[in-house]
Structures are given as C-alpha cells and as structure tokens.
Amino acid sequence: MKAQEMIRYMESLRNDEQRQVLMGFFKTGPGEYGEGDEFLGLKVPQTREVVKAAKDTPLSMIPELLMSHWHEVRLCGLLIMVSQFERQTTKRLLNDAEAIRKRDEIVEIYLKYAEQANNWDLVDLSAPKILGHWLLLPSHLGDSNYKRQLLDSLAASDNLWRQRMSMVCTWKTSQQGDPSWCLRYAEIHLHHPHDLMHKAVGWMLREMGKRCSMDLLRDFLRQHAHDMPRTTLRYAIEKMSEPERKAWMRM
C-alpha cells in the first residue's frame, strides 16, 4: 500500500464528532502544547488496522506519512516503524548485520523527523519501542557513549517533544533491568518547566522503581523529593503504600 493510498483511506474514515473530542483532549487550541494539530477523528484501533495492512511499507515512504498534517497519519507512520523495528529484534536477528542496519536506518529516520511526533501520544507510543529498545541493542552507528551523547542532544534540545523522547524512551531500558538511563534523564529534566515533562519524569521513575529497584527510587527521592515538582513526586510514588506516599509528600 502506497503512502497516498493510506492517507486517502484514513481520510475516508473521518469522524467529525470524534475529531472535536480529540482536538480538545490533545490541547490543540491557541497557546496550548498541541496548538494547530489536526485530527481526522480516528480511534487508535482504526489506525492500528491500517498499520497491520501496511506493515511492509518501504521505509522510503514513511516520511510522507510523518509529514502529514493529520495526527493519525503521523501516528500510522510511527507505528509502522515500530512494527518493522520489532521484527528485527528477534533472538535470531539481534546480532545479524542486516537486521542491525535496518534498525539503525529506522532510528535515523525517527530522529530526523522527531519533531513530527508533536504530541505526547505520538512520542509515548514510539520512543520506548524504537529509541529505547535500540539503546540496548548492537548498532553500527556507535557504542554506548555515542548513544548517550545522542540522547543528551535530545534532552538539551529546545523542542518539548525531543526532550520527552529522551525521558520516555527509558521505559524500555528499565523494563530490561537497566536503571541508569532513567536516572540520568530524570535528573537532567527534574526541574523542566513544562507539566508534560513533570509527568513523564515521575512516570519513568515509577516504572524504574517497579522494574529495577524500589531502593534505587527511594535513593533518588531522598536526594530530590524536597525540591522536585509535586506532580513528578506524585507520579513517582504512585505504587508505594499509602503511608509511604504520605511521608514522601510531606517532604
């Protein structure tokens, strides 16, 4: 299926009532974080059905989807990349040279068009499964130092969505038992001015504690709970017992 065929099909599913709901939910009004974003009014399962049918779309066609003004079409392009990346991560292919090349190509496209993932759902549904997973795998692009420098550049960007990528991608590294990425970027973003980053940092700290070590989470909180944003703290301690949550909030 060609990119234009996908776009025309998705446009045929337009739902104006749902479109208005989504534009409100994703804060597309003047001055809001999603200002100007345009929706067709598709539900995520509808987009995933298109992804399933188009899973073998050549990577050369993906930029046309990512550059669409329709939110759901951009999501479709991102999820096709997720699908293709995951197919190159089976145990048999982890160290396969061609699979490594394909994974690297997907990451390069993802980063080149990162600012097209310009709302939190687009980042959250793609960054952990592409960028986060790539951090843990062999790459021809560079070693762990290269990967850390790349994420540092995302974190230092003046673009909110690139910054969120650097934080949210650590969901995957924490799932695989490596807390170092989460702790590094949680500290970098701890005093970020935007509420979306407060939530992302707290969420990733919570996941790191759950997947890696609650003691590491408590160590981090002992250092930072007194001056971190309240939203971040609330998210980070969500899985703790009520008495412990109350003790941390008093700090």
Side-chain angles (χ1 to χ4, degrees), residues 125-136:
L125 289 171
S126 61
K129 293 182 177 180
I130 296 176
L131 195 55
H133 203 170
W134 174 77
L135 294 174
L136 300 165

Side-chain angles (χ1 to χ4, degrees), residues 5-251:
E5 291 175 325
M6 279 184 266
I7 294 170
R8 283 196 295 271
Y9 175 70
M10 294 178 77
E11 287 176 337
S12 75
L13 301 174
R14 176 172 172 151
N15 181 323
D16 285 333
E17 183 177 348
Q18 178 71 4
R19 179 174 180 267
Q20 293 302 317
V21 171
L22 292 173
M23 290 179 71
F25 183 73
F26 286 104
K27 307 296 183 184
T28 63
E32 295 182 310
Y33 59 73
E35 181 177 358
D37 202 356
E38 288 284 347
F39 285 78
L40 286 165
L42 276 62
K43 295 182 178 179
V44 173
Q46 291 177 289
T47 301
R48 289 193 182 277
E49 282 298 313
V50 179
V51 172
K52 185 177 179 180
K55 64 182 186 298
D56 295 318
T57 299
L59 285 175
S60 60
M61 291 186 186
I62 298 297
E64 188 171 356
L65 300 175
L66 299 181
M67 293 304 296
S68 172
H69 65 284
W70 296 121
H71 183 103
E72 295 93 336
V73 173
R74 297 196 304 281
L75 175 60
C76 182
L78 291 166
L79 292 180
I80 290 172
M81 286 199 292
V82 167
S83 173
Q84 293 192 10
F85 189 93
E86 290 182 332
R87 282 153 58 190
Q88 303 301 319
T89 63
T90 62
K91 188 174 181 179
R92 180 178 63 85
L93 294 176
L94 285 185
N95 295 293
D96 179 81
E98 179 58 22
I100 293 172
R101 184 202 64 77
K102 181 73 175 289
R103 295 195 302 256
D104 286 347
E105 184 181 4
I106 292 170
V107 167
E108 288 181 310
I109 294 172
Y110 185 72
L111 293 172
K112 182 176 180 179
Y113 293 93
E115 291 179 24
Q116 294 303 111
N118 58 349
N119 217 310
W120 58 264
D121 64 317
L122 302 179
V123 172
D124 297 358
L125 289 171
S126 61
K129 293 182 177 180
I130 296 176
L131 195 55
H133 203 170
W134 174 77
L135 294 174
L136 300 165
L137 299 172
S139 170
H140 296 320
L141 297 177
D143 59 11
S144 58
N145 287 331
Y146 169 84
K147 292 176 179 179
R148 186 169 59 252
Q149 289 169 8
L150 189 151
L151 249 65
D152 283 353
S153 70
L154 290 177
S157 167
D158 59 1
N159 179 268
L160 173 64
W161 309 115
R162 289 179 180 269
Q163 293 167 349
R164 189 173 173 98
M165 283 177 182
S166 72
M167 189 69 249
V168 173
C169 77
T170 69
W171 192 3
K172 186 68 174 183
T173 54
S174 292
Q175 282 181 330
Q176 298 299 312
D178 184 350
S180 62
W181 297 94
C182 174
L183 292 171
R184 178 180 182 82
Y185 295 100
E187 191 151 14
I188 287 173
H189 292 306
L190 194 60
H191 300 293
H192 194 287
H194 204 291
D195 181 64
L196 281 178
M197 289 300 294
H198 299 170
K199 294 175 180 177
V201 172
W203 172 29
M204 290 303 103
L205 284 170
R206 183 187 73 214
E207 291 302 309
M208 185 280 297
K210 183 170 70 173
R211 302 285 185 168
C212 299
S213 168
M214 290 300 290
D215 287 338
L216 278 177
L217 174 56
R218 292 184 180 103
D219 287 344
F220 187 92
L221 294 178
R222 275 190 282 271
Q223 294 179 59
H224 300 293
H226 62 284
D227 67 346
M228 67 166 55
R230 299 282 284 182
T231 298
T232 301
L233 181 57
R234 282 198 300 271
Y235 272 61
I237 63 178
E238 198 170 50
K239 297 299 182 181
M240 295 179 179
S241 67
E242 184 176 356
E244 186 173 8
R245 290 199 308 271
K246 288 181 176 178
W248 285 116
M249 292 304 292
R250 284 196 295 270
M251 293 182 67

